[in-house]
Amino acid sequence: MRYVTKKDLQIVARNSGVLMIGIGIMCLVPLIIDVLYLEFNTLCFFVPALISLGAGIFLMKSFNNYKSVYINAKHGMLISSFAWLWAGIIGGVIFTLATGIPIIDGIFESVSALTGTGITIYSDLEILPNGILFFRALEQWIGGLGVIVFVLRFIANPGTISSKLYNSEAREERLRPSIKATITETLKIYVIFTVFGIVLFLFAGMPAFDSVCNTFCLISTGGMAVKNANIGYYQNYWIYLISIILMILGATSFMVHYKIIKTKGKSLIHDLQFQILISAIALVSLMLYLVSNIVPMELLFTVTSVITTTGASVASVETMAGWPSFVLLCLMCLMLVGGSNGSTVGAIKLIRMITFFKGIYKNILEILSPQNRVITVKINDVIIPDKAIGMAGNFITLYMMFIIVTWALFCLFGYDPFRSLFATMSLQGNNGLELGIVNSGLNPVLKIVSMLDMWAGRLEIYPVLILMRTGLEIFRR
């Protein structure tokens, strides 16, 4: 049976063209830094940007008849997954042209930045051009909020198309009735927090360029800093604390941020996801401190970085690899959980975990209760339907299947099972912390698999599977 028609592909092509234009414009922004620092990498940004702009304009012109055609969830997911893939490839070309690394490494770096994973292929960041470092940070900042969200704000028209594309990027919450207004308010909050972080870092003594790039990577929960030692380079507790605050802000729902002023802070205090996030950071940090000799600030920073899926670090890879196995296992559990829904984080997300476990408890109560008793599941005084509980369980199952398959492949290629599992969970959850396995020497097959995990993890799996299923159907024809 054909699930994707020629008309479907034409609708996807036309709307993908819009996003490709936005991606092309994104690639031109780092030229400002390139010119300021006289690095003369203009063509490295301009050529890929021109390719994206040209391809986007071509698709828009060729399929302009489908400009106002209704798009459904299928179209939205196909457009979304393709746009993220295209952005990763174009960004990868820039890294390859500017630094001379193989194209597969360039695409890996780009996908890692865009998805907020933050694992880098570069062995020495401090020799890279400032334009490239800024581009990595910009990719994280844009990817944290969503490539499509940015393009919709500045290019697309409001309406059904915007709504479907917004939902396809794993976003459901609306701050305002319309998608356009929701995106505008979300972007305002994001920019305010970004400026807030830059100013605080400057006051803490961080250089201006580092302040901008590090704020981009932390508020987006991306974690790709501009120094080899990541945030640990600065050896400054004030910078560590500011980083922790930014990571928590990025991992908190934009809906909660939006309501803070109106509710005088009650939206934050009463939000179940925020309560669990803060409690988990405090309790796990305390527990791990009691069972290990790890420096308290290193523990607090790492636990915050892991549960917010940021991947920023103050401890080196070698130091973390030497931590007790129990500590690393606890961090892996936090990697699965992630932060709040409607934020910049990856992983399963707290709301799904809460829904899933409340569903299990509901089943236990139904067995124990008298016949015909109706038991409801509530989160923040909102009744959760059985369908939502089932969907949470399905997603968690699918998520774990991706981890098991990738882990098995790492083991097949001879990597240490424990470190492989840590790396796999980090890739799938867009976390970024790992124990020295994922680098430029990684087998090319595993690099491709890792990119698939990061891509699928950021889009919450289903859009990527739908694009792959569509590609298979086209190939069969």
Side-chain angles (χ1 to χ4, degrees), residues 37 126 130 133-134 137 197-198 201-202 205-218 224-228 230-231 233-234 239 243 246:
Y37 286 92
E126 293 167 32
N130 286 311
L133 291 174
F134 178 78
I198 293 170
F201 276 142
L202 288 171
M206 187 182 287
F209 179 79
D210 293 16
S211 297
V212 172
C213 292
N214 287 332
T215 301
F216 279 12
C217 88
L218 291 166
M224 273 184 175
V226 294
K227 301 296 183 182
N228 294 331
N230 208 274
I231 303 300
Y233 168 87
Y234 302 99
I239 288 176
S243 300
L246 290 176

Side-chain angles (χ1 to χ4, degrees), residues 51-307:
I51 292 171
S52 192
L53 287 165
I57 292 170
F58 172 77
L59 289 177
M60 284 186 65
K61 296 286 186 182
S62 300
F63 303 104
N64 201 43
N65 293 338
Y66 296 91
K67 179 179 180 180
S68 302
V69 174
Y70 172 82
I71 72 169
N72 54 34
K74 170 177 63 178
H75 299 138
M77 289 190 177
L78 286 172
I79 295 163
S80 176
S81 51
F82 173 77
W84 279 80
L85 178 62
W86 178 261
I89 292 171
I90 291 295
V93 173
I94 290 175
F95 287 124
T96 296
L97 291 176
T99 63
I101 59 175
I103 186 64
I104 189 172
D105 287 1
I107 296 174
F108 184 101
E109 188 79 10
S110 180
V111 170
S112 180
L114 280 166
T115 58
T117 306
I119 297 178
T120 183
I121 285 292
Y122 292 109
S123 58
D124 190 356
L125 297 174
E126 293 167 32
I127 63 171
L128 295 179
N130 286 311
I132 289 298
L133 291 174
F134 178 78
F135 181 61
R136 290 164 81 243
L138 180 66
E139 282 194 307
Q140 290 172 88
W141 193 70
I142 290 176
L145 196 58
V147 173
I148 288 175
V149 167
F150 271 92
V151 175
L152 289 178
R153 172 62 185 87
F154 295 108
I155 294 181
N157 295 320
T160 305
I161 292 176
S162 295
S163 175
K164 295 298 180 184
L165 289 177
Y166 181 81
N167 293 337
S168 73
E169 209 167 49
R171 294 192 176 277
E172 297 176 0
E173 293 183 333
R174 295 193 183 190
L175 311 188
R176 300 283 294 275
S178 76
I179 290 297
K180 196 81 169 180
T182 292
I183 293 172
T184 300
E185 293 299 329
T186 302
L187 189 56
K188 282 181 184 177
I189 295 168
Y190 201 49
V191 169
I192 289 169
F193 286 155
T194 301
V195 173
F196 172 72
I198 293 170
V199 171
L200 287 181
F201 276 142
L202 288 171
F203 275 117
M206 187 182 287
F209 179 79
D210 293 16
S211 297
V212 172
C213 292
N214 287 332
T215 301
F216 279 12
C217 88
L218 291 166
I219 197 65
S220 65
T221 62
M224 273 184 175
V226 294
K227 301 296 183 182
N228 294 331
N230 208 274
I231 303 300
Y233 168 87
Y234 302 99
Q235 296 294 305
N236 182 318
Y237 271 35
W238 285 112
I239 288 176
Y240 296 169
L241 289 172
I242 294 166
S243 300
I244 288 171
I245 291 169
L246 290 176
M247 289 189 283
I248 292 173
L249 287 174
T252 304
S253 169
F254 281 102
M255 178 66 79
V256 172
H257 291 315
Y258 179 67
K259 292 180 177 178
I260 282 178
I261 295 176
K262 293 182 179 179
T263 62
K264 298 180 181 178
K266 292 180 181 178
S267 65
L268 188 66
I269 297 170
H270 295 159
D271 181 64
L272 181 59
Q273 293 184 88
F274 182 77
Q275 292 171 355
I276 294 175
L277 178 68
I278 297 300
S279 299
I281 291 172
L283 294 175
V284 174
S285 297
L286 178 61
M287 178 184 70
L288 296 184
Y289 170 70
L290 295 175
V291 300
S292 70
N293 334 339
I294 302 171
V295 178
M297 178 55 78
E298 286 188 3
L299 263 180
L300 177 62
F301 191 100
T302 304
V303 168
T304 305
S305 180
V306 167
I307 196 169

Side-chain angles (χ1 to χ4, degrees), residues 332 335-336 347-348 396-410 420-429 449 453 461:
M332 289 159 69
M335 279 184 189
L336 287 174
I348 292 172
I396 292 172
T397 302
L398 191 56
Y399 189 93
M400 296 306 296
M401 286 173 63
F402 264 71
I403 288 176
I404 290 169
V405 171
T406 305
W407 181 32
L409 286 173
F410 269 88
S420 296
L421 181 58
F422 194 96
T424 299
M425 294 173 74
S426 181
L427 289 163
Q428 186 63 41
V449 172
D453 285 335
I461 301 176

